[in-house]
Amino acid sequence: MPPIRDVMPAFELFQPASVGDALGILDRHGADAWVMAGGMDTFDWLKDRIKKPKVVVDLGMVDELRGIKDASGGLEIGAMTTLTTVANNPLVKERFPLLAAAALIVASPQIRNQGTVGGNVSQDARCWYYRAGWPCYRAGGNICYADTPTSVNREHAIFNADRCVAVNPSDTAPALIALDAEFVIKRGSAERVVPAREFFVGPGIDITRLTVLQPGDLLTAIRIPATWAGKAHYFEKVRDRQVWDFALVNIAASLNMSGSTISDARMVVNGVAAEPYRLDAVEAAIKGKPRDKATADLAADLAVQGAVPLRHNAYKIPLVKALVKRAIRGEAEWATS
């Protein structure tokens, strides 16, 4: 591993005060520009000198990217809204406790005070080979160092690996997918709205990035429809330490109950693939079934079909099964009904 350095390479810094100004800078500098939200991912890359952008666009002065507002019973959250604000906002806690729970457990209080929801969903892979500058597939090389007979891959993927076995590290991403959120992306004068699930991409689509964001794009807001407001929600994160740490596996679930019967569901696990992994087969299987042990057992078996563990991460298979069971039975203290 190369040594960690604490002197950042030189770059040209822009601090726009509006979305329009930010988009203009991104349009002029294209792939040379690096978008910085709270800086929690950015400064690691820059201080390690693994990424050396010519231009950094600091969004910290763009007030219009912050805030949470009602949107016909749903919510619209500015991309630069801090994770602390999301976790503590009364509307988020009342309508979507799933997202509040996910935001509340990201990293440490200090990081949540500075880190943003847009940055949390856009952060890059945490594979230590990639982050240390090894020339892997994701970095433009022709090998995955985490997928060799002697590699250290305890935290890597068990689903959908295609050359690269890095996982998506976000806690809020699976929650937003489970709430059918949409991401608003601007580029120049154009705007497109992307379903949360389609915002994230695996290596089979583009091995150099975890999201659909391209040079010139700016994630401006996240919209959550009213569809899952007030429904049964469940979020749980398993990590090595009950302090600052990334998830080994986390799970986000939204359940629409009709009496004791599950009438609709969204279930997403993260930390198991390059993109948040939605459990489509589980969702289909549990519709019309009671929220009980038999349904939980059925769902757990379906959830891990197709899993391919690496040398050191087979433990993720029983872990995913356990989390799916707990989500259906609603055993966490923040689960609502």
Side-chain angles (χ1 to χ4, degrees):
M1 299 281 183
I4 300 298
R5 302 175 175 89
D6 60 1
V7 179
M8 291 186 287
F11 52 79
E12 190 174 7
L13 176 65
F14 289 89
Q15 294 180 304
S18 70
V19 169
D21 287 347
L23 290 170
I25 296 167
L26 294 175
D27 184 56
R28 289 199 301 276
H29 293 279
D32 290 333
W34 178 285
V35 178
M36 185 173 80
M40 300 297 93
D41 194 25
T42 295
F43 287 124
D44 283 348
W45 284 117
L46 299 186
K47 293 179 74 174
D48 290 350
R49 293 194 168 215
I50 305 302
K51 305 284 188 182
K52 300 177 182 178
K54 295 179 180 178
V55 170
V56 172
V57 183
D58 175 9
L59 301 176
M61 305 289 286
V62 187
D63 290 338
E64 61 191 289
L65 291 176
R66 296 191 181 88
I68 300 172
K69 60 184 180 184
D70 176 80
S72 303
L75 295 175
E76 179 164 317
I77 304 174
M80 284 292 290
T81 305
T82 68
L83 293 161
T84 296
T85 299
V86 173
N88 295 331
N89 181 270
L91 287 176
V92 177
K93 295 170 71 173
E94 175 191 345
R95 298 176 185 176
F96 308 109
L98 173 65
L99 179 59
L104 185 62
I105 207 165
V106 173
S108 66
Q110 294 86 350
I111 290 175
R112 293 194 293 272
N113 288 341
Q114 178 68 21
T116 68
V117 65
N120 188 255
V121 299
S122 304
Q123 63 183 306
D124 209 340
R126 293 282 167 177
C127 173
W128 38 82
Y129 297 98
Y130 171 56
R131 304 286 298 204
W134 292 49
C136 64
Y137 279 125
R138 188 167 292 279
N142 60 1
I143 188 173
C144 176
Y145 293 95
D147 190 19
T148 67
T150 58
S151 58
V152 180
N153 49 31
R154 178 173 172 270
E155 299 181 5
H156 290 70
I158 59 173
F159 292 109
N160 293 346
D162 180 350
R163 297 165 288 162
C164 173
V165 297
V167 299
N168 185 293
S170 175
D171 290 317
T172 57
L176 291 166
I177 294 175
L179 295 172
D180 288 343
E182 296 178 324
F183 290 22
V184 182
I185 299 169
K186 293 188 177 180
R187 180 188 184 88
S189 59
E191 175 182 300
R192 67 186 194 274
V193 179
V194 179
R197 184 181 197 181
E198 297 176 14
F199 179 77
F200 303 96
V201 299
I205 296 176
D206 188 339
I207 204 168
T208 65
R209 61 186 70 243
L210 294 183
T211 74
V212 297
L213 293 176
Q214 297 284 344
D217 285 348
L218 183 64
L219 173 64
T220 58
I222 295 170
R223 294 172 181 162
I224 307 176
T227 311
W228 295 97
K231 307 301 182 184
H233 294 154
Y234 186 96
F235 183 86
E236 186 169 359
K237 173 180 180 177
V238 176
R239 47 191 167 171
D240 282 325
R241 307 171 300 157
Q242 295 306 314
V243 292
W244 184 97
D245 213 345
F246 290 96
L248 296 171
V249 179
N250 60 28
I251 187 167
S254 296
L255 300 177
N256 189 11
M257 302 299 298
S258 178
S260 60
T261 301
I262 300 169
S263 59
D264 200 3
R266 297 285 184 274
M267 299 194 74
V268 187
V269 290
N270 210 6
V272 298
E275 71 279 19
Y277 189 70
R278 185 168 163 183
L279 302 174
D280 297 292
V282 172
E283 293 175 8
I286 65 177
K287 288 181 183 178
K289 292 187 170 55
R291 194 176 182 180
D292 60 12
K293 182 178 183 303
T295 300
D297 290 344
L298 168 68
D301 291 336
L302 286 172
V304 296
Q305 287 187 357
V308 180
L310 303 170
R311 184 184 182 206
H312 294 295
N313 69 358
Y315 73 94
K316 287 193 176 186
I317 292 178
L319 180 53
V320 169
K321 293 180 69 172
L323 289 178
V324 168
K325 289 181 182 180
R326 288 166 63 83
I328 291 179
R329 297 193 303 229
E331 292 179 348
E333 61 183 7
W334 51 74
T336 62
S337 60

